[in-house]
Structure formats: structure tokens, C-alpha cells
Amino acid sequence: MDNENAISFYIKDGIFAINKISMNTDFDVIIIGGGPAGLTAGIYLARAKMSVLILNEGSIGGQMVLTHQIENYPGIDSISGYMLARTMSKQAEKFGCIIKSNTKISKLELEGEQKTITINDKENFTAKVVILATGGKSRSLNVPGENNFSGKGISYCATCDGDFFQDRDIIVVGGGNSALEEAVSLTQYASSVTVVHQFDHFQAYEHAIEEAKANEKISFVMESEILEFSGEQNLQKVKIRDKDNNIEDKNIDGVFIFIGYIPQTEFVENIVELNSWNEIVVDDKLQTSVAGVFAAGDARATRVRQITTATADGTVAALQAIEYILK
Amino acid sequence: MVLQTNLQHVASEKDVLEVINNNENVMICCGRMGPMCVPVYDAMEDMEKDEAYKHVAFRDMLFDNPEAAIIRNAPECSGFMGLPFTMYYKNGKVVKATSSLQSMEQVKEVLNAEFAK
């Protein structure tokens, strides 16, 4: 086992002391991603006495923390995504998982029996098994001006920012459930909501479409896309192109973007097999194309993406990882 | 609503003035427990433990607190339409303000630029 030495200082009973501690850099399993899939895998593995390191790029909890209230997680009446993430994280640590958040994966060597992961360009960790539980992230339009006006007219969260748009004219981009449900929710603030969608039909469930269509404040611009955002200090205009290539400059106070999620798999491109949607391809044991590397949660190829399915994936990946290590 | 973070909260205008006048470098994140705010609080909690940022005082403040008007109505926040409003103060003066979600990298960029040792 490789060890890296570290020194800590402390004061006990008025005496200054130096404590030399060993930081383990070799683990049975390294989990990349601290959302519900990764944390569940960590809990199962740590309870099975495996040494576990969870590396997380952003906030612990993944997309779960983006949910204000969770009311469909069995056994819990209602909880904020933040609190559920905190509870899962504490549970994982209680059983012995080491969690490092806000880390950046610099290098991955997953072939062979020993896997090596470098973070922040300087720290190396090794393991027998790696579980990829990197989840997804909100898709952005990637058009000029989008970054400049984020928080200054462009938003990705209706419940967070809706009240800044009282009596304003806004656009909602997207045609799925989130887009139409949030368009309806935003009508309690905005004077008008224009839904701009790139296709001639919606991907949302029928009830969401009906509710949006029945709302007098909502209008629809179909088969159109936003090309550019512009303004001075704040967003003032959008450029919209329709199916006939006509381009309109529309004055607008705000734009809410809900165009789905993409799996966070860029860093494993050319390392494990991905499908055409950049999702990680797995077998029925959640093993990827590389032996000893499993995938769980929203980053893997799957149709249903819920907190419950992510925790189920985390369980399966953990149990398969244990079997792989012990065989 | 309360802020369920491990950061020290500021609850009044007096608290804000006290912290910015008694610390050279201060970052205050003013928000709710929402999806755009939580990642910023998490990044701040991590940086608070980081030796490299021991010279910065990290605080949060509830956006809906009437006393948060000192941040909500600050000229540097005019035109902001996304939570959280994050303020950076050096020697009691605002040196930077941002609106909406910021990644840890973006926050570090501001800290390194504005609060360089």
C-alpha cells in the first residue's frame, strides 16, 4: 500500500504538538462522482469493509441538489435535494468513505489491474476498481452572449430567479417537461412567456403540453432556434431563426433555458466505450468496456434517470465491484 | 427559510458592516437554499478549510432577510437577475460582485485576482 505522509499541528491541554499522519493513496475502490449513485456505491462498499475514495468535481449530491423538494423518494415524505445529499454524504463518511470534493480529474489510467487517477494535476490515487458515477449537467445553448448574460437576464432555474421577472416579457427555450412546466410556473410572475422550441412537436407529457397551451400568457414559436443574446448591462435582445431561415431580432427581458441534460463523460472519451449520445455503455453488471471499471447513474446508457434509479445503480455497481475484487 | 450551511451567517446590516470593516478580504454569498446557490456555498465551505484562502472571511446571508437590502440594493448589483448575489469586499469596499451560479474555479479566479496575498 502506498502512503503519503502529512503533518498536522494541534494544541492539547495547552501543549503545542505535531502529529504525523499517513494519508492512504491506495484504495480498493475509487468512485468518481458524489451524486446519489456514487454515494450509494460508497455506502455499500464501505459497509463491506472496502476502502473507498469518492472524488467529486463540484458539489456533493450532483443534480440532486438542484431539486428544491423531493417527494418521490420512498420512505421520506418531503426533503430538499440539498438535505438528502448531505444525509447521504454523512452516511457514506460514517461508514468510512473518504470524500474529496471540488476536485478536477487530470489523468486516468484504467487499463490493467491497478487503476491510477490523478487529480488537480498533482495527487495520484490507485485502486483495484473504479466506478464512474459522474452524472449529467444542464445542457446550454452555446450561442454568443449566453455566458455574458447568465444572471443578468439568462437563467436556468425558474424557482430561483422567477421573481426577478415580475411583469416582464420572457422566453422559455425547450420542449420537454421541464420547459413546459416551468413556462407555466413563470406565468405567475411574467406578463408574457414565449416558448421557443427547435422541433415541430414537444417531447413533454401530454398533460404538461395541455396545461401550457391552456395558459393565456403563453405563446409558442416552433421550429425555431436562438442564435445570439445581446444587450448592454443586461439581456435586451435575442436573435431567433425560424425553419425558413428568417431571422428576427426580438426585444426580451429574460430567457430561461431548459433543454435537457448531457452526461458528464468527456474525460472518459477514448477510455471506455460511449454510445452516440456520449453515455457510458455497460453490461447487465454495470461493467464498462474496461475490466474493473463500472458505471452507475445518469452518466451511463439508460432510459430512466431518477434519484431512485441512481441509488439502485450504485448498489449494483458496488456489489459487482466487491465480487470483482474478491474473485 | 434559513441557510443550512456550515458557513458563518450574517443576519443584519450591522453584521455585514462589522465583518467587512474587521476583515481585509471578505466574500459574502447572499442567496437561498436553491440550486444555483448551494454549489457556491459548498465551494466556499471547501475554500474556508483551504490554507491558501485563510486570509479571506467567508460568510453567507439569506436573500429574503430585509436586512440583506445592503447587498440586494447595492449599486454593484443593479441589473442582477439571478441568485445568488455574491459580493467581494476589500478593506470595506466592494471590489467585485457576481450574479447567479459560479463554479469553484470562477470563485477562485476572483479571489486570486482581488485578494492576492
Side-chain angles (χ1 to χ4, degrees):
Chain A
M1 183 179 279
D2 295 329
N3 287 308
E4 199 173 83
N5 292 324
I7 293 172
S8 69
F9 304 94
Y10 63 98
I11 295 173
K12 192 178 178 188
D13 301 330
I15 299 167
F16 182 75
I18 298 174
N19 184 25
K20 190 175 177 185
I21 54 170
S22 287
M23 279 169 52
N24 183 20
T25 58
D26 184 43
F27 293 84
D28 290 318
V29 182
I30 295 176
I31 299 166
I32 305 178
L39 293 171
T40 305
I43 291 166
Y44 272 78
L45 287 159
R47 280 173 60 87
K49 304 295 177 205
M50 297 279 158
S51 56
V52 182
L53 172 66
I54 300 177
L55 298 173
N56 193 52
E57 198 176 8
S59 290
I60 277 291
Q63 290 179 81
M64 182 161 57
V65 299
L66 305 184
T67 310
H68 270 282
Q69 284 302 313
I70 295 165
E71 297 185 331
N72 57 1
Y73 194 80
I76 296 175
D77 185 41
S78 178
I79 189 169
S80 71
Y82 176 76
M83 284 314 292
L84 185 56
R86 284 256 156 148
T87 309
M88 281 189 194
S89 162
K90 276 187 190 162
Q91 215 175 343
E93 284 179 316
K94 183 181 82 179
F95 291 120
C97 291
I98 294 171
I99 300 177
K100 277 181 165 286
S101 26
N102 288 304
T103 56
K104 194 166 178 61
I105 306 285
S106 328
K107 197 175 169 194
L108 280 175
E109 290 170 45
L110 300 183
E111 293 289 345
E113 286 189 9
Q114 180 173 270
K115 324 291 185 192
T116 304
I117 297 176
T118 308
I119 64 166
N120 304 330
D121 293 320
K122 56 185 181 192
E123 291 175 85
N124 288 323
F125 297 97
T126 55
K128 300 178 186 83
V129 163
V130 169
I131 296 176
L132 304 170
T134 49
K137 61 181 176 189
S138 295
R139 191 189 293 273
S140 55
L141 286 171
N142 278 326
V143 299
E146 188 173 1
N147 291 337
N148 300 346
F149 296 108
S150 174
K152 294 176 180 173
I154 296 178
S155 174
Y156 302 85
C157 177
T159 44
C160 305
D161 301 333
D163 55 358
F164 291 111
F165 295 88
Q166 193 74 48
D167 301 323
R168 308 283 186 105
D169 297 314
I170 62 169
I171 283 175
V172 167
V173 185
N177 287 314
S178 296
L180 296 190
E181 285 167 10
E182 299 294 21
V184 171
S185 133
L186 285 163
T187 58
Q188 64 184 303
Y189 309 107
S191 49
S192 78
V193 176
T194 306
V195 175
V196 176
H197 187 40
Q198 61 177 327
F199 302 121
D200 63 356
H201 62 281
F202 295 109
Q203 289 82 47
Y205 291 127
E206 200 53 42
H207 68 85
I209 299 171
E210 279 172 18
E211 199 182 345
K213 283 187 171 170
N215 193 308
E216 287 179 358
K217 283 188 175 179
I218 300 178
S219 59
F220 301 91
V221 176
M222 305 298 284
E223 294 181 86
S224 299
E225 57 184 350
I226 290 185
L227 298 180
E228 190 181 339
F229 297 100
S230 59
E232 290 178 7
Q233 193 185 356
N234 280 51
L235 176 68
Q236 290 170 312
K237 278 185 183 183
V238 291
K239 220 180 255 304
I240 303 175
R241 179 170 60 197
D242 70 14
K243 63 176 177 169
D244 300 318
N245 266 333
N246 298 313
I247 294 174
E248 180 197 357
D249 273 321
K250 187 175 171 65
N251 291 328
I252 205 76
D253 299 312
V255 175
F256 285 76
I257 300 170
F258 304 105
I259 51 172
Y261 292 91
I262 48 172
Q264 300 204 84
T265 54
E266 303 96 329
F267 73 106
V268 286
E269 268 176 17
N270 306 319
I271 297 177
V272 299
E273 186 187 349
L274 304 180
N275 64 17
S276 52
W277 293 283
N278 289 325
E279 300 161 336
I280 301 168
V281 176
V282 290
D283 64 15
D284 59 354
K285 293 178 175 172
L286 300 188
Q287 179 154 284
T288 67
S289 55
V290 177
V293 179
F294 298 84
D298 287 5
R300 78 162 177 104
T302 183
R303 195 156 163 247
V304 181
R305 290 182 166 90
Q306 296 288 308
I307 297 172
T308 48
T309 55
T311 56
D313 267 14
T315 310
V316 174
L319 297 178
Q320 293 301 329
I322 294 165
E323 201 170 292
Y324 178 88
I325 289 168
L326 298 180
K327 82 179 174 193
Chain B
M1 184 192 280
V2 290
L3 294 177
Q4 300 155 305
T5 72
N6 295 322
L7 294 165
Q8 281 188 54
H9 312 309
V10 282
S12 65
E13 186 174 333
K14 186 172 159 254
D15 283 354
V16 174
L17 295 173
E18 207 168 275
V19 72
I20 65 174
N21 290 329
N22 293 335
N23 295 277
E24 185 183 345
N25 305 302
V26 180
M27 173 182 181
I28 302 179
C29 182
C30 184
R32 300 178 179 134
M33 288 311 291
M36 299 291 128
C37 305
V38 168
V40 182
Y41 303 137
D42 276 0
M44 291 168 76
E45 285 182 13
D46 274 8
M47 285 184 287
E48 197 170 40
K49 293 176 209 149
D50 188 337
E51 281 300 321
Y53 297 103
K54 287 288 176 210
H55 62 303
V56 180
F58 294 96
R59 300 287 189 276
D60 61 21
M61 187 172 201
L62 183 63
F63 190 81
D64 302 301
N65 178 343
E67 302 256 341
I70 187 172
I71 290 174
R72 284 196 309 265
N73 299 337
E76 295 82 3
C77 297
S78 77
F80 280 10
M81 300 177 98
L83 288 181
F85 291 6
T86 307
M87 308 291 278
Y88 300 84
Y89 302 88
K90 189 162 188 76
N91 297 321
K93 305 272 181 226
V94 180
V95 288
K96 177 91 180 169
T98 63
S99 174
S100 195
L101 173 66
Q102 302 285 305
S103 68
M104 189 168 199
E105 278 178 4
Q106 288 171 306
V107 173
K108 278 186 175 175
E109 210 170 283
V110 176
L111 295 180
N112 295 341
E114 304 294 346
F115 301 157
K117 285 186 206 171

